[in-house]
Amino acid sequence: MKSVVRIEATLNNGQVATGTGFAYSFARREDGMHVPAIVTNKHVIDGAVSVSLPISVADANGNETGNFEVITYPIKNNVIYHPDPETDLCALLAAPIHQYFKNKKSQPALVHLDKNIAATDTNFSELLPLEEVTMIGYPNGIWDSTNNGSIARRGIIATVPENDYLGKKQFVVDMACFPGSSGSPVYLANFGSYADRNGNLNMGTRIKLLGVLYAGPQHTASGEIVLTPVPTQNKPMSFTSMPNNLGYVIKATELAALESIAQSLLTNP
């Protein structure tokens, strides 16, 4: 839960869109060099001029202080986008965040994920529908504003995980997905024991980042079913749109494209 970040994106028209992102280290090298970023959806920051992120604070030794600060910085030159225009995935470069805390002789209390926890095609082939999954984010922008806390929810995988749903690198979860949930990480999180696809009971813990929530089917009052990105704003609509309690999740394997771009940044800053 300490990897997620609440995103407030200030749009060109002055409105504020709310979404979720999570800390991720790209292109991590043995010497510790890496490209820190906040992974989210493209549509969360679409049309934004800046983002504001509440970041928990740790002292110079890494001990959490219990406080947080809201860091605001411009979008321009601080985003890498997935090269496929149909893949709703991007990463906010987090160097401005780290530099801000370095100047104050402190550090951000963020747990950075990396490719070691991201699910692979092999991992997806080992899973079955109805596997329980956990999503962490800020539905309807709800958060613990005292402790900079996020909201965890549970659901299940609703499609065959190894299949690319509708021909795209995605799968479906049965879970309520509300405005503000865009960009939420979806985890396979089994603690203590878990059953594999052959029905064998395994002792131990299994944790994988399966993907990133980005959209979900909704139906209107007239009965029409439409697929829309999970909204980032709570605002009046000219029609009644009701979620089907399903969410579309971009597979974590798509993070590899961002990894390649980040690697080039590290090589040629």
Side-chain angles (χ1 to χ4, degrees):
M1 294 181 73
K2 292 182 180 180
S3 69
V4 295
V5 178
R6 186 176 188 268
I7 299 175
E8 288 191 358
T10 301
L11 308 181
N12 289 318
N13 59 11
Q15 293 185 326
V16 175
T18 303
T20 301
F22 57 94
Y24 199 94
S25 291
F26 289 104
R28 184 179 292 278
R29 303 192 315 205
E30 291 185 1
D31 61 5
M33 289 289 291
H34 67 284
V35 177
I38 307 295
V39 174
T40 188
N41 297 138
K42 293 175 181 176
H43 79 261
V44 168
I45 61 170
D46 186 33
V49 294
S50 65
V51 289
S52 296
L53 314 172
I55 306 294
S56 296
V57 182
D59 62 24
N61 296 318
N63 301 310
E64 292 189 39
T65 65
N67 301 318
F68 69 89
E69 295 192 40
V70 178
I71 313 300
T72 300
Y73 62 98
I75 288 290
K76 188 176 181 180
N77 300 324
N78 282 315
V79 186
I80 56 177
Y81 295 93
H82 193 286
D84 182 353
E86 294 188 3
T87 301
D88 193 356
L89 202 62
C90 69
L92 298 165
L93 297 177
I97 298 173
H98 289 264
Q99 187 61 50
Y100 172 85
F101 284 104
K102 182 179 180 180
N103 293 342
K104 300 189 69 174
K105 295 181 170 55
S106 58
Q107 51 186 299
L110 277 174
V111 175
H112 285 71
L113 310 179
D114 59 30
K115 64 181 181 181
N116 292 320
I117 197 176
T120 63
D121 287 332
T122 299
N123 294 137
F124 280 109
S125 71
E126 296 169 347
L127 301 178
L128 289 172
L130 304 183
E131 292 268 13
E132 190 172 57
V133 292
T134 299
M135 181 173 71
I136 303 174
Y138 304 92
N140 289 120
I142 296 170
W143 66 312
D144 180 352
S145 58
T146 299
N147 301 293
N148 191 26
S150 54
I151 305 297
R153 313 194 73 164
R154 283 289 181 95
I156 59 172
I157 298 176
T159 54
V160 178
E162 64 183 313
N163 291 349
D164 293 336
Y165 185 71
L166 296 179
K168 299 181 179 180
K169 293 293 183 179
Q170 63 183 10
F171 63 97
V172 181
V173 292
D174 183 354
M175 187 184 298
C177 304
F178 291 93
S181 295
S182 291
S184 294
V186 177
Y187 295 95
L188 180 72
N190 305 128
F191 301 99
S193 65
Y194 60 92
D196 61 27
R197 67 180 298 155
N198 296 316
N200 300 314
L201 182 63
N202 296 273
M203 304 305 295
T205 295
R206 182 175 62 166
I207 300 179
K208 282 293 179 182
L209 172 66
L210 296 182
V212 185
L213 179 79
Y214 82 100
Q218 303 197 18
H219 63 273
T220 65
S222 64
E224 180 184 9
I225 297 177
V226 295
L227 175 65
T228 62
V230 177
T232 56
Q233 302 178 66
N234 298 309
K235 60 182 181 179
M237 303 293 286
S238 59
F239 62 90
T240 302
S241 179
M242 295 166 283
N244 283 352
N245 287 350
L246 294 173
Y248 287 16
V249 181
I250 300 169
K251 290 184 175 181
T253 53
E254 288 301 290
L255 290 168
L258 296 180
E259 184 92 22
S260 297
I261 298 172
Q263 182 67 56
S264 65
L265 293 178
L266 198 60
T267 305
N268 302 295

